Amino acid sequence: MTDCLSCIVRNRAICASLRPDELLLLGRMGRRQRVSSGHTLLWEGDDAPVVANVLEGVLKLVAATADGREQIVGIVFPSDFIGRPFGKESPYSVSAISAAELCIFHRDQFDEFAADHPDLQQKLLRRTLGELDRARRWMLLLGRKSASEKVASFLLEMADRLSPPPGAADTARGFELPFGRQQIADILGLTIETTSRQLTKMRADGLIDLPSRRKIVINDLAALNEMAG
């Protein structure tokens, strides 16, 4: 692919710091790939031969115990980076929650390119530290928060990642979830009944509206923040 300058996540992805000539070089190494919902791009513990920028869609990061129990340990959105640069094995599986489009690079080629471009390495470092902070918040959410705090925290995170930008036709506090309530429950370590009950109570209390099964509108951001702890 050679159209990096017109990429829809150009200004938010890790390659945003590159000059046009550098983008051209990087673009020649990459290829676009569409994946369907449920497709697994990387498997936990296996060699991770590729890295990728997410252009469209949502993916999940999944870790498993020895007896096969799985836990979603992260959600990946457009402009996020996935894979293990300067590494080998993937510490988790990466699977598409929705249909997605990726800009994929062979890891070895990407590593060589990054080694010659310090700005890109700095961007990778900042992205990695941000993911570490998010992982620590996730540990708190899963380990210590109540069901209502978990759901409220989840909605705030989704609003931050999925709400339309300022000036868009939709409200800045409204967003469409790319997955259903069962997947929300799986992400939060709750049952679907508990998840649905919490969403219904939040709607009854006026904190949110639920125009459809996946549409969320936050009516009282302050109250939701307070509930999230």
Side-chain angles (χ1 to χ4, degrees):
M1 57 178 291
T2 58
D3 56 348
C4 292
L5 287 174
S6 60
C7 175
I8 57 176
V9 298
R10 162 78 173 89
N11 295 323
R12 295 178 288 142
I14 60 164
C15 44
S17 60
L18 298 177
R19 301 189 310 267
D21 60 317
E22 293 171 326
L23 277 175
L24 183 61
L25 289 174
L26 183 64
R28 288 172 177 166
M29 301 178 189
R31 59 182 172 84
R32 290 197 179 207
Q33 178 176 329
R34 295 203 65 86
V35 296
S36 58
S37 176
H39 175 82
T40 297
L41 183 69
L42 298 172
W43 292 95
E44 180 181 3
D46 284 357
D47 182 46
V50 299
V51 297
N53 278 326
V54 181
L55 305 180
E56 295 179 1
V58 179
L59 299 94
K60 62 182 178 180
L61 313 179
V62 178
T65 61
D67 60 3
R69 289 172 295 167
E70 293 186 344
Q71 175 63 53
I72 298 175
V73 296
I75 305 293
V76 183
F77 296 90
S79 80
D80 284 344
F81 185 80
I82 56 177
R84 195 74 168 178
F86 307 109
K88 185 177 180 181
E89 294 182 354
S90 177
Y92 39 68
S93 297
V94 181
S95 301
I97 293 178
S98 66
E101 185 173 15
L102 309 171
C103 177
I104 292 182
F105 305 91
H106 287 292
R107 188 193 68 228
D108 291 341
Q109 287 185 317
F110 183 87
D111 289 353
E112 291 178 8
F113 183 87
D116 292 333
H117 295 82
D119 287 347
L120 182 60
Q121 287 185 318
Q122 287 284 336
K123 194 86 171 181
L124 277 170
L125 176 60
R126 289 194 295 270
R127 185 67 62 98
T128 301
L129 292 174
E131 290 177 356
L132 177 60
D133 290 340
R134 189 175 295 116
R136 287 168 173 164
R137 292 195 300 269
W138 198 274
M139 289 171 61
L140 174 63
L141 183 151
L142 293 177
R144 293 298 180 185
K145 289 193 173 185
S146 66
S148 60
E149 290 172 330
K150 286 182 178 183
V151 175
S153 298
F154 174 81
L155 293 180
L156 290 170
E157 176 76 10
M158 293 301 102
D160 182 55
R161 299 303 302 268
L162 298 174
S163 290
D170 200 359
T171 172
R173 295 175 297 172
F175 53 92
E176 189 91 14
L177 288 171
F179 32 68
R181 293 188 182 185
Q182 182 61 65
Q183 287 172 310
I184 297 174
D186 292 342
I187 291 168
L188 298 177
L190 301 172
T191 65
I192 188 172
E193 293 82 8
T194 298
T195 302
S196 296
R197 188 162 54 247
Q198 291 298 327
L199 290 170
T200 299
K201 186 177 187 304
M202 290 178 186
R203 180 176 60 183
D205 292 341
L207 274 64
I208 64 172
D209 279 332
L210 303 171
S212 67
R213 292 290 293 176
R214 297 195 176 192
K215 177 75 174 181
I216 305 286
V217 177
I218 297 177
N219 296 327
D220 193 334
L221 188 62
L224 201 63
N225 268 297
E226 184 176 353
M227 178 178 287

